[in-house]
Amino acid sequence: MYEPNVVGDWQEYDDHPGLRVRVHRVERAEPPRGRDEAAEGLAYFRVRVTAENRGERKFGIHLEDGQVDVRIGPDGEAAFLDWRNSRFVEGFDVYPLRRVTAVLYAAGPEAELDRVDVQVQLRVDEEWTGRVLWTGGVGPDAPAAGGCPAAGREELAHQIGAFLRDQAEEGTA
């Protein structure tokens, strides 16, 4: 079974030796240039995505709008992404032992922010990497680093049990 990264975990790319990326610091934050009118009544949060080069050659990194998808809540609803306030990485050469960070501002209903999923697909030297998922959350009920209820064995066992019960009920009906 595939388990997503927990916010804060590093993900290395086999196709690009030494390159690794992580989503970290999912935290409540107001956007620097003011709230977008479309986010009225929603709670803002900030997501940081860092690419680090631990290899021996430079990598040209692109992390722009459309390469990051932020989903919230148990149903994976799309978060409102505030592109005007977000800062992306647009064609930056990351030399060995250097990092580059994109900062995204997003918003959603307060009750949905305890589960935040972030999917990232970097473009490295004009090649697309595979999509990678991180999961975490904002607030006191958010999963702690090192543990994620969505990826936990108890949650999976509960989902499998519910699925089998539904299948058994459909088979007898």
Side-chain angles (χ1 to χ4, degrees):
M1 180 184 110
Y2 172 79
E3 290 189 19
N5 293 296
V6 175
V7 168
D9 287 350
W10 287 101
Q11 174 69 45
E12 297 189 22
Y13 291 103
D14 294 335
D15 295 345
H16 305 285
L19 180 65
R20 62 187 196 161
V21 67
R22 75 174 173 167
V23 170
H24 58 110
R25 292 193 190 171
V26 176
E27 59 192 353
R28 197 171 313 283
E30 287 295 317
R33 291 186 285 274
R35 297 174 66 87
D36 189 299
E37 290 176 7
E40 186 175 335
L42 301 176
Y44 263 93
F45 60 99
R46 176 175 50 213
V47 176
R48 293 180 185 270
V49 181
T50 297
E52 180 180 66
N53 184 354
R54 300 177 68 87
E56 297 178 4
R57 67 174 191 85
K58 72 176 170 105
F59 293 107
I61 301 294
H62 300 270
L63 185 57
E64 303 165 329
D65 58 340
Q67 292 175 248
V68 179
D69 190 12
V70 180
R71 302 283 169 164
I72 56 175
D75 293 329
E77 301 267 340
F80 170 78
L81 293 176
D82 189 338
W83 301 114
R84 183 176 61 97
N85 280 295
S86 297
R87 294 180 303 252
F88 297 98
V89 177
E90 299 175 17
F92 190 82
D93 288 336
V94 182
Y95 286 85
L97 302 177
R98 296 286 191 224
R99 293 179 176 176
V100 63
T101 300
V103 180
L104 287 88
Y105 285 87
E110 183 80 33
E112 303 289 312
L113 299 185
D114 62 336
R115 184 175 293 171
V116 177
D117 293 330
V118 181
Q119 185 171 272
V120 176
Q121 184 176 25
L122 288 179
R123 200 167 84 221
V124 180
D125 296 329
E126 303 306 322
E127 291 180 30
W128 291 100
T129 64
R131 292 185 186 105
V132 183
L133 178 68
W134 282 264
T135 189
V138 178
D141 297 330
C148 171
R153 294 188 187 278
E154 295 82 16
E155 178 71 16
L156 178 61
H158 174 73
Q159 290 175 7
I160 291 171
F163 174 78
L164 292 174
R165 278 191 301 279
D166 290 345
Q167 292 298 313
E169 290 173 5
E170 288 177 12
T172 59

